[in-house]
Amino acid sequence: MKRIGILTSGGDCAGLNPAIYALAKSLYGKIDNLQLVGILDGYTGLIEGRVRELVEADFEGLIEEGGTFLGSIRQSFKTIDIKDENGSSKADKMVKNVALLQLDALVVLGGNGTHKVANLLAERGVNIVALPKTIDNDIFGTDETFGYNTATQVGVDYIERIRTTAASHSRVFIIEIMGNKVGWLALSTGLASGADMIILPEFPYSVDKMTADLQAILKKKNYALVVVSEGAFSKDEKKLKNKERLQVRQELGFRTISEKLAHEIESELGIQVRTAMPGHALRGGTANAYDRNYTLQLGAYAADLVADDVFGVTVAKVKGKITHNQLKAIAGKAKPVTDVNQKVLAARSIGISFGD
Ligand code: F6P
């Protein structure tokens, strides 16, 4: 008998349930006497020992479901190995519970933070396989994470609706897209929706350049769409640490980068600007056909790894091929948008401004 735990951690996205569906279906076909154990609410459930014994019927229909039926709570990596008053850290508790629950292996679906914790658990002897999910597409070593394609589609559908009202009223719209550390989602969404300007954290913008470019755009047409990534900042703000930057903005009355940009444009160009953001809708709902197909491949590959006792790894797509990376080789590494990225080159080539 083999007992395999499954958990989803961090922010949810479309594709989590389809990935679990593929993983489970594939595992049932490969391992006799299999018991799958759902760990509830991510690493929090593992720390607290909250689980649900699963049966094959639990996975039926998951291909079409959004969210995660196991639940997910964020756990900060910074606090994961800090000892409490009894001398035990969250990591210690997880390792202990893996043994108490008699789990032969653990499959975790998550983003960067999840992968860092997975690597720590692997170093402590837990047999672990990870799967790369996040709308942010920022896991090092994989061409693409699942959830990203669906989120791009949601963002594009949203911006298309903004476009018609922007054109009707001759307005400038700033559309803020999730992505705190990296701008992949704003980039792909902006490109696919024909944005005039895309502002990313990787390319700090200059207020003068951004407003001058916008003025030039408004000479050619009556409206403009500016897509901005949640974590973007100006060249002036570059020297500030994240916390300081947010504090300075708060003091100025801006809760979001789109509010700040709107203010800068309004005061420089004397025009009215509207802001809009799809927010968590980018993460919600069911996966599109692309992400369903993708997660099926990732989930089935993860099942192979578990069946073959290959642990301490994460599933990845490299140059179009499903493969795996060692957790220790990718955990904690960043995958920012770069100047030489082909989407960026294409954007600059067709005249999209990054305001930089
Ligand atoms: O990591 C995914 C993500 O959606 C980011 O793009 C965003 O910055 C963050 O999660 C929002 O997290 P929360 O759900 O905690 O508001």
Side-chain angles (χ1 to χ4, degrees):
M1 152 103 132
K2 264 202 173 167
R3 285 172 62 78
I4 314 290
I6 307 172
L7 68 80
T8 53
S9 177
D12 73 341
C13 70
L16 283 167
N17 279 330
I20 296 173
Y21 163 92
L23 171 76
K25 288 226 164 212
S26 204
L27 281 174
Y28 280 119
K30 288 179 203 305
I31 301 176
D32 294 331
N33 235 334
L34 171 72
Q35 177 60 55
L36 291 178
V37 181
I39 293 152
L40 306 178
D41 297 329
Y43 289 123
T44 307
L46 190 56
I47 295 163
E48 297 169 0
R50 284 190 291 113
V51 301
R52 183 177 138 199
E53 303 282 321
L54 300 167
V55 295
E56 252 185 287
D58 288 321
F59 301 96
E60 278 315 317
L62 283 187
I63 184 82
E64 291 179 340
E65 283 186 22
T68 161
F69 83 110
L70 296 174
S72 186
I73 292 180
R74 286 190 193 280
Q75 273 290 340
S76 149
F77 181 72
K78 280 186 198 143
T79 63
I80 218 80
D81 213 14
I82 295 175
K83 306 277 182 202
D84 64 13
E85 59 281 8
N86 302 316
S88 167
S89 70
K90 290 175 179 171
D92 297 336
K93 288 178 185 141
M94 287 195 273
V95 173
K96 198 169 144 206
N97 279 334
V98 166
L100 280 176
L101 292 162
Q102 298 181 307
L103 298 178
D104 296 294
L106 189 62
V107 179
V108 301
L109 297 89
N112 270 326
T114 306
H115 278 71
K116 283 200 268 182
V117 177
N119 184 44
L120 185 79
L121 293 179
E123 284 171 357
R124 303 270 178 100
V126 176
N127 292 332
I128 202 157
V129 170
L131 282 159
K133 74 88 228 196
T134 165
I135 64 167
D136 295 344
N137 192 34
D138 61 344
I139 297 183
F140 186 86
T142 185
D143 295 350
E144 199 177 14
T145 57
F146 69 83
Y148 170 61
N149 192 286
T150 305
T152 300
Q153 189 62 59
V154 175
V156 170
D157 293 346
Y158 181 87
I159 295 172
E160 270 174 18
R161 290 190 173 272
I162 298 288
R163 176 188 295 283
T164 58
T165 175
S168 304
H169 293 281
S170 301
R171 274 178 174 151
V172 171
F173 259 88
I174 297 170
I175 302 114
E176 183 171 322
I177 296 290
M178 275 189 173
N180 206 7
K181 295 190 180 129
V182 295
W184 291 108
L185 188 57
L187 176 64
S188 62
T189 306
L191 273 183
S193 57
D196 301 292
M197 189 178 284
I198 302 174
I199 310 276
L200 306 180
E202 289 87 342
F203 309 143
Y205 69 95
S206 133
V207 180
D208 290 345
K209 177 80 169 69
M210 181 268 293
T211 49
D213 286 355
L214 196 57
Q215 210 163 23
I217 292 160
L218 292 172
K219 280 199 177 127
K220 293 190 196 153
K221 57 204 263 265
N222 69 325
Y223 73 96
L225 298 177
V226 178
V227 172
V228 60
S229 186
E230 177 191 1
F233 48 87
S234 67
K235 288 188 194 292
D236 291 341
E237 291 177 304
K238 197 179 165 185
K239 50 187 177 294
L240 302 175
K241 292 207 173 92
N242 279 351
K243 265 195 179 160
E244 290 167 347
R245 190 183 306 138
L246 292 182
Q247 201 184 332
V248 171
R249 282 191 195 169
Q250 243 169 27
E251 283 162 13
L252 294 169
F254 307 128
R255 283 166 306 160
T256 59
I257 178 65
S258 42
E259 285 180 6
K260 179 173 184 282
L261 275 174
H263 173 80
E264 287 163 348
I265 296 168
E266 283 176 349
S267 40
E268 290 289 319
L269 303 185
I271 52 171
Q272 245 195 15
V273 176
R274 292 282 191 272
T275 60
M277 61 170 103
H280 288 78
L282 294 161
R283 300 211 314 236
T286 58
N288 65 9
Y290 180 91
D291 267 329
R292 290 184 200 190
N293 279 301
Y294 186 32
T295 52
L296 288 194
Q297 294 169 65
L298 297 175
Y301 189 95
D304 281 342
L305 294 171
V306 173
D308 295 343
D309 290 331
V310 179
F311 298 117
V313 294
T314 183
V315 186
K317 181 157 109 175
V318 180
K319 293 186 183 149
K321 193 174 174 294
I322 309 296
T323 177
H324 60 274
N325 289 319
Q326 298 297 317
L327 279 169
K328 60 173 177 293
I330 64 106
K333 287 198 182 157
K335 190 181 92 173
V337 175
T338 65
D339 244 330
V340 292
N341 177 268
Q342 284 183 315
K343 279 189 184 146
V344 173
L345 294 175
R348 292 202 195 269
S349 161
I350 64 170
I352 295 177
S353 163
F354 287 89
D356 57 341

